[in-house]
Amino acid sequence: MPVPYSYRGRVITTEDILFLRQFIAEHSQLSRRKLSAKVCEAWEWRQANGALCDMVCRGLLLMLHRAGEIQLPEVRFVPRNPLVDRERPAPVLIDTTPVIAQVNELRPVEVQQVRRTGDEPLFNSLIEYHHYLGYEQPVGEHLKYLVWSHGRPVACMAWSSAPRHLGSRDRFIGWSQQARKRNVRFIAYNTRFLILPWIQAPHLASHILSRVTATLSRDWERMYGHPIWFTETFIDPERFRGTCYRAANWILMGRTTGRGKDDLTHRQNRSIKEVFGLPLTRRFRELLSQ
């Protein structure tokens, strides 16, 4: 093999492939799913929270199988893919009476993390029917917030794992490639932010941003076993000015290239976004560069 394979940051050597061939031959009775879990155990390949890197391992094995380096067992079962065949969240009936008020008049404003709670379907529905991008089921670590005022939802905010590569962010942090691979899990990406369309309250958005980012790291550690040291988001300047992010002290780090993470042509194929970031600790550069 002239060069080693690489998948999601893991380099696969000739010795690894020889091991996999023998391992598959010795466990030929296993399904592909069980085989990937066994490989993770053999390699002691685990996430920071201790869970097996099972999904990444499946992708790696499939890549090697398609390249002719290994021969995986025949597919025994093709499950329904909820990301492809996802049913649209059901609409939820709520009070849509228009509210025009100052932030002080909406207090107390309550922030609720609803991931894995009974209110998660309400969040999904509100994003699906009232956010211009609609709802997409996140992959990987993520949190969802509902914001309430006097018993009524007024806003939604979603966070997920950050992109592995983002030039303007990486230059702003100043970390090495090795540090980025180790520590990108300590960055959260704000994927959705919605003030419900019948709510009009000046400065509410920046108030919510400050409230959520104040509790985000604790909530993330409670859910996934590690803190968040830095946050980021994309703003489409053709649609928005990012006023609430600027008011909440977020920093404009630069712009995207407009090529996307899987680009092979080095040509712009989507709109260019502004990249904003907010450190959640003064030591973020030191911690992320470790």
Side-chain angles (χ1 to χ4, degrees):
M1 187 171 55
V3 293
Y5 290 90
S6 178
Y7 186 81
R8 297 288 293 271
R10 185 182 183 102
V11 175
I12 305 302
T13 64
T14 302
E15 290 75 18
D16 291 327
I17 290 178
L18 293 175
F19 167 81
L20 288 172
R21 289 173 180 170
Q22 181 177 353
F23 193 87
I24 293 170
E26 293 174 353
H27 298 84
S28 58
Q29 77 283 4
L30 296 181
S31 66
R32 293 187 178 190
R33 180 175 182 177
K34 291 182 178 178
L35 184 66
S36 70
K38 287 288 186 182
V39 170
C40 286
E41 292 173 354
W43 281 350
E44 297 184 351
W45 196 7
R46 295 181 180 272
Q47 303 175 45
N49 61 8
L52 297 175
C53 295
D54 184 36
M55 293 302 295
V56 177
C57 186
R58 288 189 221 178
L60 185 151
L61 294 176
L62 185 60
M63 176 192 74
L64 294 176
H65 172 79
R66 289 172 173 169
E69 299 290 354
I70 62 174
Q71 184 65 44
L72 289 174
E74 293 296 324
V75 176
R76 300 179 185 177
F77 173 68
V78 180
R80 174 179 175 271
N81 187 338
L83 299 181
V84 174
D85 304 319
R86 177 181 67 87
E87 294 183 2
R88 194 179 186 196
V92 177
L93 295 178
I94 61 172
D95 184 358
T96 60
T97 304
V99 173
I100 302 176
Q102 300 299 315
V103 172
N104 287 339
E105 298 175 283
L106 296 178
R107 291 189 172 120
V109 175
E110 300 174 8
V111 174
Q112 177 194 11
Q113 199 293 113
V114 298
R115 172 84 170 112
R116 297 177 182 170
T117 75
D119 285 320
E120 187 172 6
L122 172 60
F123 174 96
N124 297 348
S125 179
L126 293 175
I127 291 291
E128 175 70 17
Y129 292 95
H130 300 292
H131 194 285
Y132 77 101
L133 293 175
Y135 177 76
E136 290 185 2
Q137 178 61 36
V139 176
E141 298 180 349
H142 63 281
L143 295 182
K144 302 172 180 179
Y145 288 89
L146 278 174
V147 182
W148 302 81
S149 172
H150 302 290
R152 294 178 59 183
V154 296
C156 306
M157 183 175 283
W159 301 80
S160 69
S161 302
R164 296 190 303 278
H165 305 279
L166 188 56
S168 56
R169 174 204 64 200
D170 297 340
R171 289 188 293 272
F172 181 80
I173 294 172
W175 53 5
S176 66
Q177 182 179 3
Q178 293 74 21
R180 175 179 53 76
K181 290 180 179 179
R182 287 193 303 269
N183 298 325
V184 72
R185 64 193 179 96
F186 297 109
I187 298 179
Y189 163 41
N190 177 207
T191 57
R192 296 286 190 273
F193 187 14
L194 169 69
I195 303 292
L196 291 172
W198 49 87
I199 305 296
Q200 297 183 42
H203 314 301
L204 176 62
S206 58
H207 175 76
I208 290 172
L209 273 169
S210 298
R211 290 282 303 277
V212 172
T213 52
T215 189
L216 179 66
S217 183
R218 291 192 301 272
D219 293 341
W220 208 282
E221 188 157 19
R222 191 178 298 114
M223 181 72 72
Y224 295 110
H226 67 85
I228 293 296
W229 295 327
F230 193 83
T231 57
E232 64 191 25
T233 196
F234 298 151
I235 301 294
D236 186 346
E238 295 181 1
R239 283 180 169 268
F240 307 104
R241 296 170 57 190
T243 303
C244 64
Y245 288 92
R246 298 174 196 272
N249 297 317
W250 287 58
I251 302 162
L252 176 60
M253 298 184 291
R255 293 192 168 205
T256 64
T257 59
R259 297 200 302 263
K261 64 178 182 180
D262 299 318
D263 169 64
L264 297 175
T265 65
H266 303 291
R267 296 177 181 176
Q268 182 182 340
N269 54 37
R270 64 198 66 194
S271 62
I272 293 176
K273 308 293 195 306
E274 292 180 330
V275 183
F276 282 80
L278 180 73
L280 299 188
T281 171
R282 293 181 179 179
R283 298 176 55 228
F284 73 96
R285 284 195 175 94
E286 173 191 349
L287 293 169
L288 290 172
S289 298
Q290 292 179 133

